[in-house]
Amino acid sequence: MAISQTLVLDIVLSISYGCCRLVKPLCEILPPQQCGLDQSSGQSDQEVYTVVLLAAMLRTHRSGSWSNLMPKVFFFLKLANIFLFYRMDVRMLVVYMVFLLIGYLLQGPGEDGGDVNTSSAKGCQVRVYTGKELTEYLSSAADDAIPLLVAFHASWSPPSQALVKLFQEMASSGLYSSCVKFATVEVSHDLVTARRYSLDNSVTSTELPTLILLGSNGTAADQRRLDLGPKALAIEKEYICKQFQLKVVGAEQPD
């Protein structure tokens, strides 16, 4: 999927509730079959949207990177739509959740790099391994002084897809190449790897995706491990850098 198509999809999913309440004949056909934003509930629709937009701006301000404002706005608008569709009609919520799932699948591994290595001229690639290939690499790179930051993820997990995309951006930037290498390992059906690294890869897991910084011997470097779970949907590069003490090339790392 092209970048422009992804943007269109995000916009459609973000404004869908407003369209269902304001655009004729949609608002006359769909429940509750009346046009206009809801003003009668404890929190009006405008108040809900104001809160989520402020939350997106606050989170972006705290990360120090305003270039990520629009993705944050889309993310929080989708969260608001889930609440508003639930309040509007449960049937509409079910339909919206189906479209959200379709959106995640369209932006899934094939596009964001969960199954494909990508690279840029100034950066490096994210290594995509199976559990067995990861073990073989660690054995062959025993003398490599640069540790490997591995994202263990699952194909059924939207947070995993979000983290894989972020890994692609961090690797291709080339800003971390002197301190860490990036790799992803799909563990949906890999019980051996899941047990080796104490991962919960069941469909009810709230751990995945999990980040583990591996030394050359394949053990967790300084026991640095991060179970992200749903938090990965809105995680920032700066958060990962802080947790694993990654220093950006040509910049001082904040305390």
Side-chain angles (χ1 to χ4, degrees):
M1 178 181 289
I3 294 178
S4 59
Q5 291 176 305
T6 302
L7 179 60
V8 169
L9 183 60
D10 279 333
I11 292 174
V12 170
L13 290 173
S14 298
I15 66 174
S16 55
Y17 177 80
C19 291
C20 291
R21 294 306 300 260
L22 298 174
V23 177
K24 295 181 179 181
L26 283 177
C27 59
E28 298 173 336
I29 299 174
L30 300 174
Q33 297 181 337
Q34 59 183 5
C35 297
L37 295 177
D38 186 0
Q39 304 286 348
S40 59
S41 302
Q43 292 84 30
S44 68
D45 292 347
Q46 291 97 322
E47 290 174 337
V48 172
Y49 280 129
T50 299
V51 169
V52 299
L53 289 174
L54 288 175
M57 295 181 66
L58 177 61
R59 188 170 183 86
T60 305
H61 173 71
R62 291 177 62 185
S63 71
S65 176
W66 288 96
S67 62
N68 293 326
L69 176 60
M70 288 312 299
K72 288 292 179 292
V73 170
F74 290 145
F75 172 74
F76 281 101
L77 283 177
K78 292 172 190 175
L79 287 182
N81 286 342
I82 291 175
F83 169 74
L84 293 173
F85 273 121
Y86 171 77
R87 191 171 68 176
M88 174 182 174
D89 191 287
V90 175
R91 294 169 296 177
M92 295 299 298
L93 172 63
V94 172
V95 173
Y96 183 67
M97 293 301 291
V98 170
F99 278 104
L100 277 181
L101 179 60
I102 293 174
Y104 277 124
L105 292 177
L106 291 176
Q107 298 176 13
E111 174 196 3
D112 294 338
D115 298 325
V116 181
N117 286 339
T118 61
S119 60
S120 70
K122 67 174 181 177
C124 56
Q125 68 182 17
V126 174
R127 302 160 187 260
V128 181
Y129 294 126
T130 63
K132 181 179 179 181
E133 290 170 343
L134 175 62
T135 301
E136 293 174 350
Y137 167 77
L138 292 172
S139 298
S140 63
D143 298 327
D144 195 340
I146 300 179
L148 187 69
L149 184 58
V150 184
F152 294 92
H153 64 99
S155 59
W156 44 260
S157 167
S160 291
Q161 296 176 14
L163 181 65
V164 168
K165 182 176 181 179
L166 182 62
F167 253 43
Q168 296 285 0
E169 295 174 0
M170 294 181 70
S172 62
S173 71
L175 297 176
Y176 315 92
S177 57
S178 63
C179 61
V180 73
K181 296 178 180 178
F182 297 92
T184 63
V185 178
E186 224 274 67
V187 294
S188 300
H189 308 290
D190 191 342
L191 293 177
V192 175
T193 302
R195 288 171 181 169
R196 179 176 183 183
Y197 295 101
S198 301
L199 303 169
D200 179 7
N201 66 341
S202 65
V203 293
T204 58
S205 172
T206 57
E207 288 183 5
L208 297 178
T210 292
L211 293 177
I212 301 180
L213 189 65
L214 297 177
S216 58
N217 59 358
T219 59
D222 300 326
Q223 301 301 312
R224 278 183 268 181
R225 170 190 174 125
L226 193 60
D227 296 318
L228 292 170
K231 187 189 299 183
L233 287 168
I235 200 171
E236 298 281 354
K237 302 172 188 175
E238 292 80 5
Y239 179 76
I240 295 178
C241 291
K242 182 177 180 180
Q243 295 299 315
F244 293 98
Q245 300 177 9
L246 306 181
K247 294 184 178 180
V248 178
V249 175
E252 294 184 0
Q253 193 74 359
D255 297 331

